[in-house]
């Protein structure tokens, strides 16, 4: 993140491109957060008769619908391009919110939420791929963090507006925000990678020059992009049986376990039902004000976590995050238990506890389990299988999200509020033990070193043998034969050569490893 501030003039255009694409994540956050102020307002207004099942389904259906959207996103990104896909999804987003705002029957609420949910499935790959392909390697991680920040910003905006207007007016206001996405993307170029894949080389060069700045030498990076495209075209297809190898299956299972633990911590139940939780708690503070405070804390904690994730080990962040989340949920569950046992006296003496517990929980979640599972997902998966394994893990994450949101109401009825939060606490405890005993540390390791951890013994020997390379036979003055050996030189040292044209210093970026920074959903 700090790299953005070292020479902001040279990355200003890239920051604009990342912010424009990240507006789609802001709208995604609005879709998620609408149910928190919107559903209590809708229920209280009695404008549309709703059963308990309707309330649960309307709140939870977007993650389920996003699975179908994610299946359609791939062909659209391939044939329409990244930029046009991001522009087009703004239209269904607006239509979905308008259907909710003008709803006179429960079916309109379902259709609106399903439509917005499908667009969530489009948003994640479209924005992440656009940013990954526009950003230079040295700032890709920092720019990739924009999506998480804009997601939290969308949630906060919805909380603030929802505190002052009813459910339908909230939906009408939110329907205007997708126009910002359409307008911002209209002024952005298509990504160089997509243009090259469609044999539009001259447009790709102009796009890359625009993104890097007019005084940046793009020749080395452009040739590297062309070489990567050619290599990708000629790469072998993945055979299904290869996915069952231990070196592939182990990283997938580790990643899916982290996704399960992330969602079963209850984070999305809290985001979707924040107002409901404070309403049930009956604390002295206004429920909408408390919800807004939670939204502000989440936004600030998300921004702070971007500076933290590259400074501490992945395991340390997850362990600390899991322990603190467990304590916060235990305290929240204890409040609801005492409320049931001792009645309203608890609200007077401990009315501050629900807000304090949720603030601590959000800070702890943002510092570890919010980002690290997705970061590890990008690091653990072998390069050849990264795309397909990433899709499987992301789909599993969405299924877990739907399951935990859909079951929230039923769990409250069956276990009570205290039992529900203690259930989430138990998963946080499981997460701490899982990370401690099973998850390897990946910080500071290259992709080759990480793949070596999961390779069988035969492959590990091959990795070891390839660490050094013999480059020839040399004779000295006494005709003594020796073999010279050299270590691999990082490509950064070869490519980062200074250039100048017309008195301007030109830059060549370091190696583009082709990785797209994943963002937590």
């Amino acid at each position: 993140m700090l790299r953005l501030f070292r020479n902001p003039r040279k990355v200003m255009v890239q920051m604009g491109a990342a912010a424009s694409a990240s507006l789609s994540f802001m709208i995604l956050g609005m879709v998620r957060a609408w149910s928190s102020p919107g559903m209590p307002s809708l229920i209280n207004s009695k404008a549309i008769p709703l059963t308990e099942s309707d309330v649960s389904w309307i709140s939870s259906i977007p993650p389920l619908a996003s699975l179908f959207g994610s299946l359609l996103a791939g062909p659209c990104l391939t044939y329409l391009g990244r930029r046009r896909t991001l522009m087009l999804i703004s239209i269904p987003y607006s239509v979905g919110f308008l259907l909710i705002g003008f709803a006179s029957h429960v079916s309109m609420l379902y259709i609106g939420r399903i439509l917005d949910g499908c667009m969530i499935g489009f948003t994640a790959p479209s924005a992440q791929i656009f940013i990954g392909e526009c950003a230079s390697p040295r700032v890709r991680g920092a720019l990739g963090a924009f999506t998480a920040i804009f997601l939290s910003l969308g949630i906060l905006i919805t909380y603030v507006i929802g505190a002052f207007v009813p459910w339908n007016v909230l939906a009408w206001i939110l329907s205007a925000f997708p126009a910002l996405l359409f307008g911002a993307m209209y002024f952005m170029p298509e990504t160089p990678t997509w243009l090259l894949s469609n044999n539009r080389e001259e447009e790709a060069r102009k796009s890359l020059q625009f993104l890097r700045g007019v005084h940046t030498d793009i020749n080395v990076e452009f040739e590297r992009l062309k070489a990567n495209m050619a290599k990708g075209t000629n790469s072998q297809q993945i055979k299904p049986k290869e996915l069952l190898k231990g070196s592939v299956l182990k990283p997938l299972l580790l990643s899916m376990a982290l996704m399960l633990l992330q969602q079963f911590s209850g984070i999305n139940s809290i985001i979707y039902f924040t107002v409901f939780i404070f309403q049930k708690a009956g604390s002295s503070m206004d429920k909408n004000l408390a919800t807004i405070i939670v939204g502000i804390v989440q936004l600030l904690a998300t921004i702070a976590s971007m500076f933290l994730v590259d400074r501490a080990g992945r395991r340390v962040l997850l362990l600390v995050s899991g322990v603190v989340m467990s304590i916060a949920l235990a305290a929240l569950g204890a409040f609801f238990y005492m409320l049931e046992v001792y009645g309203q006296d608890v609200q007077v003496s401990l009315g501050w506890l629900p807000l304090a517990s949720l603030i601590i929980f959000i800070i702890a979640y943002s510092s570890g389990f919010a980002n690290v599972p997705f970061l590890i997902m990008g690091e653990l998966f072998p390069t050849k299988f990264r795309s397909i394994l990433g899709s499987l893990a992301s789909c599993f994450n969405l299924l877990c999200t739907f399951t935990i949101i859909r079951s929230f109401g039923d769990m409250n009825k069956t276990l009570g509020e205290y039992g529900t939060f203690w259930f989430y606490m138990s998963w946080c405890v499981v997460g701490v033990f899982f990370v401690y005993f099973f998850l390897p540390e990946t910080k500071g390791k290259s992709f080759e070193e990480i793949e070596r951890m999961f390779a069988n013994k035969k492959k590990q020997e091959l990795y070891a043998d390839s660490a050094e390379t013999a480059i020839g036979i040399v004779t000295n003055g006494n005709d003594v034969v020796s073999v010279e050996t050299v270590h691999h030189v990082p490509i950064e040292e070869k490519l980062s050569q200074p250039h100048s044209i017309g008195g301007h210093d030109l830059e060549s970026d370091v190696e583009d490893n082709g990785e797209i920074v994943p963002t937590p959903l």
Side-chain angles (χ1 to χ4, degrees), residues 124-415:
S126 302
Q128 289 171 348
I129 289 174
F130 181 85
I131 295 172
E133 292 180 351
C134 286
S136 58
R138 66 187 180 90
V139 296
R140 182 178 292 115
L143 294 181
F146 277 33
T147 51
I149 294 172
F150 274 74
L151 174 66
S152 299
L153 179 62
I155 292 172
L156 175 59
I157 290 172
T158 307
Y159 285 169
V160 172
I161 298 173
F164 301 100
V165 300
W167 63 275
N168 53 342
V169 178
L170 173 62
W172 293 339
I173 295 173
L174 296 183
S175 69
F177 282 92
L180 293 176
L181 171 63
F182 187 94
M185 292 307 302
Y186 179 82
F187 294 101
M188 291 296 115
E190 183 54 82
T191 68
T193 302
W194 185 84
L195 291 169
L196 280 175
S197 69
N198 286 270
N199 300 316
R200 294 157 65 174
E201 186 170 322
E202 189 58 34
E203 292 178 63
R205 180 180 288 275
K206 289 180 180 178
S207 173
L208 186 62
Q209 189 72 71
F210 175 80
L211 291 165
R212 299 297 181 263
V214 293
H215 299 310
T216 300
D217 180 11
I218 63 167
N219 290 323
V220 173
E221 184 179 3
F222 189 70
E223 291 302 319
R224 186 170 60 240
L225 281 174
K226 289 171 63 178
N228 287 342
M229 291 297 300
K231 185 172 67 175
T233 303
N234 297 326
S235 62
Q236 296 180 347
Q237 291 186 345
I238 297 174
K239 298 177 182 178
K241 65 179 182 180
E242 291 181 295
L243 297 175
L244 300 178
K245 292 181 179 179
S247 58
V248 178
L249 201 57
K250 289 176 185 176
L252 176 63
L253 292 176
L254 282 175
S255 180
M256 292 177 73
L258 286 176
M259 299 297 178
L260 177 73
L261 294 167
Q262 180 197 64
Q263 292 305 321
F264 275 66
S265 69
I267 178 60
N268 275 301
S269 292
I270 291 170
I271 296 299
Y272 276 68
F273 302 105
T274 312
V275 172
F276 171 82
I277 293 170
F278 286 117
Q279 192 174 333
K280 281 285 186 179
S283 58
S284 55
M285 181 178 290
D286 178 73
K287 60 182 183 296
N288 289 311
L289 177 59
T291 300
I292 292 172
I293 292 174
V294 170
I296 293 173
V297 169
Q298 184 184 18
L299 176 60
L300 296 177
T302 301
I303 295 173
S305 70
M306 302 307 171
F307 295 92
L308 185 65
V309 72
D310 283 331
R311 294 177 177 269
R314 315 320 187 205
R315 280 168 50 87
V316 172
L317 287 175
L318 289 174
L319 288 170
V320 173
S321 177
V323 169
V324 178
M325 287 161 60
S326 301
I327 295 171
L329 290 173
L332 186 59
F335 172 84
F336 280 106
Y337 179 78
M338 290 186 289
L339 182 63
E340 185 170 307
V341 174
Y342 301 109
Q344 295 183 349
D345 291 341
V346 176
Q347 294 174 344
V348 177
S349 58
L350 294 174
W352 53 270
L353 186 56
L355 178 59
S357 299
L358 287 185
I359 287 175
I360 294 171
F361 174 84
I362 290 294
I363 293 173
Y365 175 80
S366 298
S367 66
F369 270 91
N371 301 319
V372 176
F374 289 93
L375 178 62
I376 288 179
M377 180 180 75
E379 293 175 333
L380 288 183
F381 294 159
T383 306
K384 179 180 178 181
F385 306 94
R386 194 161 288 143
S387 295
I388 186 170
L389 296 186
S391 298
L392 289 173
S394 296
C395 287
F396 181 73
N397 181 275
L398 290 170
L399 279 175
C400 292
T401 303
F402 166 74
T403 301
I404 211 68
I405 298 169
R406 176 65 182 85
S407 62
F408 181 76
D410 295 332
M411 289 177 65
N412 279 334
K413 289 172 59 179
T414 306
L415 304 176

